Amino acid sequence: MSCREDLAHPCGNGLWSPFDPTDGSPEQCLGGMAWLPGLDHGDPLLTPSSFLRIGQLSNVDLNEDIHELETEVPRQRPNEIPHNEKLLSLKYESLDYDNSENQLFLEEERRINHAAFRTVEIKRWVICAMIGILTGLVACFIDIVVENLAGLKYRVVKDNIDKFTAKGGLSFSLLLWATLNASVVMVGSLIVAFIEPVAAGSGIPQIKCYLNGVKIPHVVRLKTLVIKVCGVILSVVGGLAVGKEGPMIHSGSVIAAGISQGRSTSLKRDFKIFEYFRRDTEKRDFVSAGAAAGVSAAFGAPVGGVLFSLEEGASFWNQFLTWRIFFASMISTFTLNSVLSVYHGNAWDLSSPGLINFGRFDSEKMGYTIQEIPIFIFMGVVGGILGALFNALNYWLTMFRIRYIHRPCLQVVEAMLVAAVTATVGFVMIYCSRDCQPIQGSSVAYPLQLFCADGEYNSMATAFFNTPEKSVVNLFHDPPGSYNPMTLGMFTLMYFFLACWTYGLTVSAGVFIPSLLIGAAWGRLFGISLSYLTKGSIWADPGKYALMGAAAQLGGIVRMTLSLTVIMMEATGNVTYGFPIMLVLMTAKIVGDYFVEGLYDMHIQLQSVPFLHWEAPVTSHSLTAREVMSTPVTCLRRIERVGTVVDILSDTSSNHNGFPVVESNPDTTQVAGLRGLILRSQLIVLLKHKVFVERANLSLVQRRLKLKDFRDAYPRFPPIQSIHVSQDERECMIDLSEFMNPSPYTVPQVTSWQGVFKLFRALGLRHLVVVDNRNEVVGMVTRKDLARYRLGKEGLEELSLAQT
């Protein structure tokens, strides 16, 4: 039923064209506007009639089927998919972060005594410890496998190059290197493209969306974790310009989501533990801990992990959560440290706190003076400009991929092409370089002599012929004179474009380490230039400027400030550089934001995700709830006919997830005030358990459900098509009083848009009911109603909505 039949019709002329169910298109207004239902409620939304279908993006699979039990009709994909950046996808659902405080929930909470609450709190700490241990073990596995496989590849290629250098035929060495890279990357891309596309990229944008309240399909599943781990190993071994640290954040989040639920829906195993935490609110908190544990394992930075989760991830925070997340981060670092120390043969030393250790900077030899502060600020400006250029190029490249490279087979071919080109560029630059350095005292793992004299190695090979992590450490700590300025300049230029081309491929990979490597290269070049200008002054140490350049470049690309400052300090083990790193990062962010958004925010926008930022757009004061709400709203009576509920849930033109419950006599059409709110998932469970009685026996006691029945169905509630309701049962009645939330959040229709946004964002809501002065439902505000207004270059702009 529609709550208000007298609402003004959204189309100016109020006329409708016939709806043809065969073409899958929504009903069309004759006025040229289309009527699209929102996913979170019964709210039709206006959008331009030209509907756009987005293909698979770099990080998120937009072709996710809504109901796994339904068969998907095969569709022929066009060669080009038109895409508009000012678009908001209706495919993404929201998470129910607001607890439904119905009678069942309140009765259970009242039955729990103080001792039981203490038990629940202990379980939370146990889960955080398990998250830290398992995240650390996964990081160890990735590190050990990458080290062995990459070492094997580099030894084979090095022996081949040494063999053919003397007698000629280096073209075979190039072919071998390119073939090895392309073959390994092909396997890594195949498993991502065809098995789990959401495992592509670093996973940070997806986790950021999840913690913001957006349900990204498959993002925290066990299969995603397996593909992510295998994919990132193959990407790094395949020689791509990627790092293995970024995906640890996604891996930690998946581990946290799985452990906190005490079961695996992928393996169809339920261990009957941690049932209390089977709801979106609790799961979100543990995913925050998993993301922090991932950062901690990657960089050996537990405090930086907590701050990363706070700055980049979590949308909702409290004091108790901070301490538990820090505990998970510490456990993760300790686990990784212990296992890797045993693996490297120094069990009691605990010398491997993270996957990458930048090495300690000696502050006595490499201190900084007050005169260097302007130099650091200038480096921040350079980092911001280069970061903005990187993001702008990657933006246009991603748009090209969306339009033309949307087939999985094409994505695999592109990944192989990038791997082969990366190897070819590296080989050609090593071949053309005449930068020879003495081997004595060097820390190069695979010194390549090539055309250098005996006892010397090719300096360019240390940058390309190594994993990116080792190259970063070499640029930080190799003594002055280890690199020719021409070598660093050419490497910076080529690696910049290779890293930009690589980010967004259908492979599991991160952008942290490539960004640090680019910045370290031009930072060291900057330090060498300063040394020339100042005639070798002791303060112009190239290693110090390599560190500042790395921070500037990464800050200019991802726009992190607080967390990245602490991560860099913890990873270098030196607090001395805290202030200059902070200055560099702040400057890079300010300069970069002047041109374009950060890389993660840009990809979230390109994926058309309804992401809500911390604050409402500053120019939105003129709007009210009446202007942004969706109408009319599909409502249910407190005592409703089963057939009506089934028909509403089965309506294929919409996927409403929240229904206001109103008080009304079943035999009349007169609508009374709002009484509560009930979710689609709750109605599905009620129908599945047949919690209804015949019309003539409303006084009968219905089957008593418990919260356990709802938690057992979480998170994959069955589709309505899988629930059989007979014709006789359709005439039965269902009483929603016990299951609805009797106190949903509501606002008057004259509430300002800023007030609506603050209430919605701060409380993590999914539905906000708009009522009039008689408490009658006049509209509903959901995430998409708020996210479709964005601050553009010309002021407040409204995004188009499409079933992408």
Side-chain angles (χ1 to χ4, degrees):
M1 62 172 290
S2 180
C3 293
R4 289 288 301 270
E5 303 296 340
D6 59 338
L7 286 170
H9 202 283
C11 290
N13 52 20
L15 298 176
W16 297 94
S17 66
F19 170 53
D20 180 8
T22 60
D23 65 358
S25 62
E27 295 176 337
Q28 300 286 330
C29 281
L30 293 184
M33 303 298 287
W35 182 264
L36 270 185
L39 282 180
D40 289 342
H41 54 87
D43 315 341
L45 301 173
L46 290 176
T47 181
S49 57
S50 56
F51 293 102
L52 309 176
R53 180 176 175 275
I54 300 181
Q56 180 187 331
L57 299 173
S58 59
N59 288 338
V60 175
D61 180 13
L62 288 178
N63 297 320
E64 164 71 7
D65 51 340
I66 298 173
H67 302 308
E68 294 185 0
L69 299 182
E70 295 179 3
T71 57
E72 187 174 332
V73 180
R75 288 178 289 188
Q76 187 174 3
R77 298 187 181 188
N79 292 327
E80 177 185 354
I81 292 180
H83 180 59
N84 181 2
E85 62 173 348
K86 296 181 180 179
L87 191 72
L88 200 65
S89 174
L90 287 174
K91 271 218 160 179
Y92 294 106
E93 297 183 28
S94 298
L95 295 163
D96 291 299
Y97 283 165
D98 182 40
N99 288 325
S100 179
E101 297 183 347
N102 53 22
Q103 290 184 29
L104 295 182
F105 178 80
L106 294 176
E107 287 173 8
E108 182 187 80
E109 293 293 306
R110 292 189 190 106
R111 284 196 301 269
I112 299 178
N113 55 27
H114 181 68
F117 272 119
R118 288 181 63 89
T119 304
V120 169
E121 190 63 22
I122 291 171
K123 285 181 179 179
R124 286 195 177 98
W125 285 92
V126 170
I127 291 172
C128 287
M130 294 171 67
I131 290 169
I133 292 171
L134 286 179
T135 304
L137 291 176
V138 167
C140 290
F141 175 77
I142 292 174
D143 188 61
I144 292 170
V145 175
V146 165
E147 182 180 332
N148 285 281
L149 290 181
L152 176 63
K153 185 193 80 169
Y154 287 128
R155 280 194 297 272
V156 169
V157 177
K158 179 182 181 302
D159 293 342
N160 191 271
I161 291 176
D162 290 341
K163 174 184 173 183
F164 284 100
T165 301
K167 61 179 185 179
L170 277 172
S171 56
F172 180 78
S173 300
L174 168 60
L175 186 63
L176 173 67
W177 192 2
T179 304
L180 280 175
N181 275 15
S183 302
V184 174
V185 170
M186 180 187 71
V187 178
S189 183
L190 278 172
I191 61 176
V192 171
F194 288 95
I195 300 178
E196 197 54 270
V198 79
S202 66
I204 295 175
Q206 291 98 311
I207 296 303
K208 195 171 177 180
C209 291
Y210 182 90
L211 294 174
N212 190 260
V214 182
K215 183 180 180 182
I216 306 293
H218 293 195
V219 72
V220 288
R221 289 197 186 171
L222 177 63
K223 185 168 71 170
T224 305
L225 174 64
V226 174
I227 300 300
K228 194 84 178 183
V229 170
C230 297
V232 73
I233 290 172
L234 294 168
S235 300
V236 177
V237 173
L240 291 175
V242 299
K244 60 180 182 285
E245 282 69 24
M248 278 308 306
I249 295 163
H250 191 180
S251 301
S253 300
V254 179
I255 291 169
I259 291 177
S260 63
Q261 303 305 292
R263 68 176 175 190
S264 170
T265 49
S266 299
L267 299 177
K268 295 180 172 56
R269 293 290 304 273
D270 191 342
F271 301 100
K272 303 297 181 184
I273 57 174
F274 307 143
E275 288 184 347
Y276 181 81
F277 305 117
R278 290 179 186 173
R279 57 179 184 263
D280 287 340
T281 315
E282 296 284 354
K283 195 173 180 180
R284 173 199 68 206
D285 291 346
F286 290 119
V287 168
S288 299
V295 175
S296 182
F299 298 98
V303 178
V306 175
L307 293 175
F308 174 86
S309 192
L310 172 61
E311 181 182 7
E312 284 294 306
S315 299
F316 313 100
W317 202 264
N318 62 59
Q319 187 177 7
F320 298 107
L321 185 62
T322 308
W323 186 231
R324 285 199 299 270
I325 289 180
F326 182 61
F327 176 68
S329 298
M330 290 295 295
I331 294 292
S332 175
T333 299
F334 181 75
T335 302
L336 179 83
N337 207 338
S338 303
V339 175
L340 287 186
S341 296
V342 171
Y343 174 74
H344 292 306
N346 46 356
W348 305 105
D349 195 13
L350 297 180
S351 56
S352 303
L355 290 183
I356 179 171
N357 187 0
F358 293 148
R360 295 193 175 275
F361 284 80
D362 190 347
S363 55
E364 293 183 4
K365 295 180 181 178
M366 294 174 58
Y368 67 94
T369 61
I370 195 70
Q371 296 96 322
E372 293 178 84
I373 298 296
I375 299 175
F376 294 148
I377 294 175
F378 175 75
M379 293 183 74
V381 172
V382 173
I385 294 172
L386 289 178
L389 177 63
F390 184 99
N391 292 358
L393 292 174
N394 192 261
Y395 174 87
W396 294 113
L397 181 61
T398 304
M399 291 286 286
F400 178 83
R401 284 179 174 136
I402 291 170
R403 288 172 175 161
Y404 299 103
I405 314 178
H406 46 81
R407 299 172 187 269
C409 53
L410 291 177
Q411 293 167 342
V412 174
V413 170
E414 187 198 14
M416 293 174 63
L417 175 64
V418 174
V421 169
T422 303
T424 305
V425 168
F427 185 88
V428 170
M429 291 184 67
I430 293 171
Y431 183 85
C432 297
S433 173
R434 294 295 180 268
D435 185 9
C436 298
Q437 302 292 339
I439 292 179
Q440 287 84 3
S442 71
S443 58
V444 182
Y446 308 102
L448 203 62
Q449 183 177 352
L450 209 60
F451 301 116
C452 293
D454 292 339
E456 293 184 337
Y457 69 95
N458 189 302
S459 183
M460 179 68 83
T462 61
F464 274 108
F465 211 65
N466 217 332
T467 58
E469 291 85 358
K470 300 282 178 57
S471 300
V472 170
V473 177
N474 289 341
L475 286 169
F476 282 170
H477 295 289
D478 281 355
S482 300
Y483 298 91
N484 187 296
M486 181 61 71
T487 299
L488 292 172
M490 290 300 298
F491 174 79
T492 301
L493 182 66
M494 298 309 300
Y495 207 81
F496 181 90
F497 290 107
L498 285 175
C500 186
W501 189 12
T502 304
Y503 188 79
L505 288 178
T506 311
V507 294
S508 297
V511 76
F512 268 68
I513 299 303
S515 304
L516 290 172
L517 184 52
I518 295 166
W522 68 255
R524 191 175 182 95
L525 178 61
F526 189 83
I528 292 173
S529 304
L530 273 182
S531 181
Y532 284 153
L533 292 174
T534 58
K535 297 181 172 53
S537 294
I538 186 64
W539 54 266
D541 188 285
K544 172 174 57 178
Y545 289 98
L547 174 66
M548 296 304 159
Q553 185 66 50
L554 182 54
I557 291 175
V558 300
R559 309 292 159 76
M560 292 160 52
T561 50
L562 176 64
S563 56
L564 190 54
T565 301
V566 177
I567 287 171
M568 297 291 283
M569 285 167 53
E570 288 185 283
T572 55
N574 195 320
V575 185
T576 307
Y577 294 126
F579 181 69
I581 289 174
M582 182 184 71
L583 272 182
V584 164
L585 289 173
M586 286 179 62
T587 308
K589 176 176 171 57
I590 292 169
V591 173
D593 284 341
Y594 180 78
F595 296 104
V596 292
E597 292 183 290
L599 190 65
Y600 299 143
D601 291 330
M602 189 183 75
H603 275 262
I604 289 172
Q605 179 183 321
L606 281 172
Q607 292 157 15
S608 305
V609 178
F611 186 88
L612 295 181
H613 294 279
W614 288 102
E615 297 290 340
V618 292
T619 58
S620 58
H621 292 280
S622 59
L623 295 174
T624 62
R626 183 194 295 112
E627 293 168 289
V628 300
M629 69 185 185
S630 297
T631 58
V633 184
T634 302
C635 295
L636 295 172
R637 300 182 181 93
R638 189 178 59 82
I639 300 175
E640 188 61 271
R641 195 172 68 89
V642 171
T644 303
V645 175
V646 173
D647 291 341
I648 289 174
L649 296 181
S650 302
D651 184 5
T652 55
S653 67
S654 64
N655 285 299
H656 310 153
N657 281 292
F659 302 91
V661 180
V662 296
E663 186 64 70
S664 179
N665 188 324
D667 298 322
T668 67
T669 57
Q670 184 179 1
V671 178
L674 175 70
R675 292 294 178 267
L677 183 78
I678 194 160
L679 306 178
R680 165 182 286 265
S681 57
Q682 294 173 315
L683 293 171
I684 291 282
V685 174
L686 295 181
L687 292 175
K688 179 182 177 182
H689 290 279
K690 300 191 182 302
V691 186
F692 38 76
V693 295
E694 296 178 11
R695 180 185 291 270
N697 297 316
L698 289 179
S699 60
L700 289 180
V701 178
Q702 304 179 60
R703 187 200 160 190
R704 182 72 174 172
L705 279 188
K706 296 182 179 179
L707 274 184
K708 183 181 184 302
D709 297 304
F710 294 91
R711 288 170 181 158
D712 285 343
Y714 176 86
R716 299 190 202 174
F717 296 97
I720 185 64
Q721 289 80 3
S722 67
I723 297 174
H724 176 70
V725 178
S726 67
Q727 195 60 39
D728 290 338
E729 289 173 334
R730 287 179 61 88
E731 299 303 320
C732 293
M733 305 301 290
I734 183 169
D735 189 350
L736 306 177
S737 304
E738 191 178 10
F739 311 104
M740 69 181 186
N741 181 3
S743 55
Y745 291 99
T746 62
V747 291
Q749 54 187 338
V750 294
T751 306
S752 71
W753 195 80
Q754 292 266 352
V756 171
F757 188 96
K758 288 178 182 177
L759 183 64
F760 198 96
R761 182 69 171 75
L763 297 175
L765 302 181
R766 183 175 186 175
H767 315 93
L768 184 60
V769 184
V770 182
V771 296
D772 60 13
N773 54 7
R774 294 181 296 175
N775 198 35
E776 291 181 6
V777 179
V778 295
M780 181 90 85
V781 176
T782 66
R783 170 178 294 274
K784 298 176 187 70
D785 296 320
L786 299 176
R788 64 194 170 112
Y789 291 96
R790 189 179 67 191
L791 189 61
K793 294 180 179 178
E794 299 177 0
L796 196 66
E797 59 186 20
E798 185 175 357
L799 306 183
S800 303
L801 296 168
Q803 202 78 24
T804 57

